[in-house]
Amino acid sequence: MEASELTPPSFNQAFRFWLKLGFISFGGPAGQIAIMQTELVDRRRWVSPGQFLHALNYCMLLPGPEAQQLAIYLGWLFHRIPGGIVAGVLFVLPSVFILWGLSYVYVAFGSLPWVAAIFYGLKPAITAIVLVALIRIGGRALRSNVAWSVATLAFISTYFFHLPFPLIIIGAGALGFAYGTFRPGVLNTGHGHAAVTGSGLVLPSQQERQIRGWRGHVPLIAAWVALWFAPTVLAGAWKGWQSTLCQEGIFFSKAAVVTFGGAYAVLPYVAQEALHHGWLGPGQMVDGLGLAETTPGPLIMVLQFVGFLAAWQHPEGLPPLLAATLGAAITTWSTFTPCFLWIFLGAPYIQRLHGHARLTAALTAITAAIVGVILNLAVWFATHVYFPRTGQIDWFAITLSAMALFGLLRWKWNVIPVVIASGVSGVIYQILRGP
């Protein structure tokens, strides 16, 4: 498809598409990217295949949810900053309200027997989903002995020594960069972050931005950094710098910078810190992931559940629902606002990233480390779900998880029906088992 064959959308056309995407973007990042590929490249021809993959490669280099950042990038490509803002906001906005409602049901009625039974059935399915993610990502990422070694070291560092996630990512990146410098090709498998070229939509504004230099971006950086930290500063000035709301803003802003690999990779880091702060318990993190799986939008929306629950349990003089709503809002804001900065600042320079052997090796090593971190998450989930108490084995959970795992891998079951069926199974099992 040549650039001359493309038909760039009007702002209203793009707005309607991004709004629709926000409600149908189920299936995790793979499903969301597939929807955009089908709709924008194949069906509507708003962007060329080369430009689409070029944008996707750049988004995979960044911390945060790559599918949302791809939407921001394409929105920026069509209509500059206003288009990027519309695309990024509408991509997550429906899930913000849906997950808020589900979180309230969880904290208000979670103690009811039927609600508890639903979450009892959800946990084995979520464990299976994490295992599927581990298998699929590992199959793509671990294609050399060095990659396997990096993944193993990452798992040992996380599971046995409890090293922080950012340190593992930085170490893996440094190791990969060193391999790319002194032993090029050892980590380069030809997958994942390979450069993609091709004709595409080139806007005059894009060409102008490419020759302006970094000094011209200072106002952009200042504006978005101010927006990013404004709610945290206001919360600190209002409730105190050690308050739950302020600490949530600080923590999730930090997490937004190190969330390479998406939700599955960052969950152990978030869970570790949330437990440390007393924001929630191990079982509640699994419950939150189950809720996030049932909503559209990026799976990393589970962090909103963590923020909601933390403030609900530590209202600090506020009505619990108000505190929880503010906690959810500051968490979501701190998590997603940086995504716009990464795109608006870096998109004009993505050509310079292609064909960089050392950068490719660093990213390959980071991806391998993420496999080890996800393995730690899978073990963590399985331990709490399959062995809820010392010396006790939950055979129903093991059986339900095995069925979900086999169906997802063998028959490519959709995640949403699996989650719903598992919740229903939990209710039926509790009814049959009796009080």
Side-chain angles (χ1 to χ4, degrees):
M1 185 190 304
E2 297 297 333
S4 58
E5 299 175 357
L6 301 177
T7 55
S10 68
F11 191 88
N12 288 336
Q13 287 176 318
F15 182 94
R16 289 194 296 269
F17 171 76
W18 299 124
L19 180 61
K20 172 186 173 182
L21 182 65
F23 284 99
I24 65 171
S25 56
F26 292 97
Q32 293 153 3
I33 292 169
I35 291 172
M36 285 187 273
Q37 164 81 31
T38 301
E39 289 287 325
L40 300 182
V41 178
D42 301 331
R43 183 168 171 263
R44 302 173 190 260
R45 299 197 174 190
W46 288 354
V47 64
S48 74
Q51 189 73 50
F52 183 87
L53 294 176
H54 195 71
L56 178 59
N57 274 359
Y58 172 63
C59 294
M60 291 179 69
L61 311 180
L62 303 173
E66 61 267 28
Q68 192 226 9
Q69 289 170 338
L70 178 61
I72 296 172
Y73 183 101
L74 294 173
W76 170 85
L77 187 64
F78 297 145
H79 301 105
R80 295 181 285 178
I81 289 180
I85 292 174
V86 167
V89 170
L90 293 182
F91 189 84
V92 300
L93 195 60
S95 60
V96 167
F97 290 104
I98 295 171
L99 189 57
W100 179 90
L102 293 175
S103 299
Y104 175 72
V105 170
Y106 177 84
V107 296
F109 306 106
S111 59
L112 296 178
W114 66 272
V115 177
I118 291 175
F119 283 102
Y120 174 67
L122 285 178
K123 292 176 182 180
I126 299 305
T127 304
I129 291 169
V130 174
L131 289 171
V132 170
L134 173 67
I135 293 169
R136 289 176 177 169
I137 296 174
R140 293 193 301 266
L142 306 183
R143 295 179 176 270
S144 68
N145 291 334
V146 175
W148 275 97
S149 300
V150 171
T152 302
L153 287 173
F155 172 74
I156 293 173
S157 300
T158 307
Y159 187 80
F160 293 102
F161 298 103
H162 308 290
L163 293 183
F165 176 71
L167 182 61
I168 294 172
I169 292 299
I170 292 172
L175 181 63
F177 193 87
Y179 266 103
T181 302
F182 300 106
R183 297 190 62 187
V186 172
L187 275 166
N188 184 11
T189 62
H191 297 268
H193 299 285
V196 178
T197 59
S199 63
L201 187 63
V202 180
L203 303 179
S205 59
Q206 182 179 353
Q207 295 172 327
E208 292 168 5
R209 287 170 181 270
Q210 288 177 332
I211 62 175
R212 284 172 56 188
W214 284 98
R215 187 173 299 176
H217 290 297
V218 170
L220 175 70
I221 297 172
W224 279 99
V225 170
L227 284 172
W228 181 3
F229 290 104
T232 301
V233 173
L234 291 174
W238 176 37
K239 300 298 293 182
W241 303 107
Q242 297 302 317
S243 65
T244 298
L245 291 178
C246 183
Q247 289 300 308
E248 283 183 322
I250 294 172
F251 170 69
F252 288 107
S253 293
K254 181 171 63 175
V257 180
V258 298
T259 52
F260 294 94
Y264 290 123
V266 78
L267 276 179
Y269 172 53
V270 172
Q272 179 182 348
E273 292 297 320
L275 291 171
H276 173 73
H277 287 288
W279 288 346
L280 76 172
Q284 292 175 323
M285 176 62 84
V286 183
D287 294 340
L289 188 58
L291 291 179
E293 287 281 7
T294 64
T295 66
L299 186 58
I300 206 170
M301 284 300 300
V302 67
L303 301 188
Q304 177 182 304
F305 172 83
V306 176
F308 184 100
L309 209 62
W312 176 278
Q313 297 178 154
H314 302 85
E316 298 175 340
L318 297 174
L321 182 58
L322 175 60
T325 301
L326 293 175
I330 199 170
T331 298
T332 303
W333 184 271
S334 301
T335 299
F336 290 104
T337 302
C339 297
F340 295 89
L341 178 60
W342 310 149
I343 298 300
F344 297 154
L345 188 63
Y349 301 92
I350 60 172
Q351 293 288 352
R352 301 181 185 180
L353 297 176
H354 288 282
H356 195 299
R358 286 176 289 185
L359 180 61
T360 300
L363 292 168
T364 303
I366 289 174
T367 305
I370 286 170
V371 175
V373 175
I374 296 176
L375 176 60
N376 170 68
L377 176 65
V379 172
W380 185 76
F381 273 6
T383 301
H384 289 91
V385 173
Y386 302 154
F387 310 100
R389 299 180 185 86
T390 303
Q392 179 182 353
I393 302 176
D394 191 333
W395 290 108
F396 171 80
I398 293 175
T399 302
L400 187 59
S401 186
M403 292 174 59
L405 178 65
F406 186 78
L408 289 166
L409 289 175
R410 179 65 177 82
W411 291 307
K412 311 298 182 184
W413 287 349
N414 190 281
V415 168
I416 302 302
V418 169
V419 170
I420 294 174
S422 298
V424 172
S425 299
V427 173
I428 295 173
Y429 178 76
Q430 295 289 14
I431 292 174
L432 294 177
R433 191 175 67 170

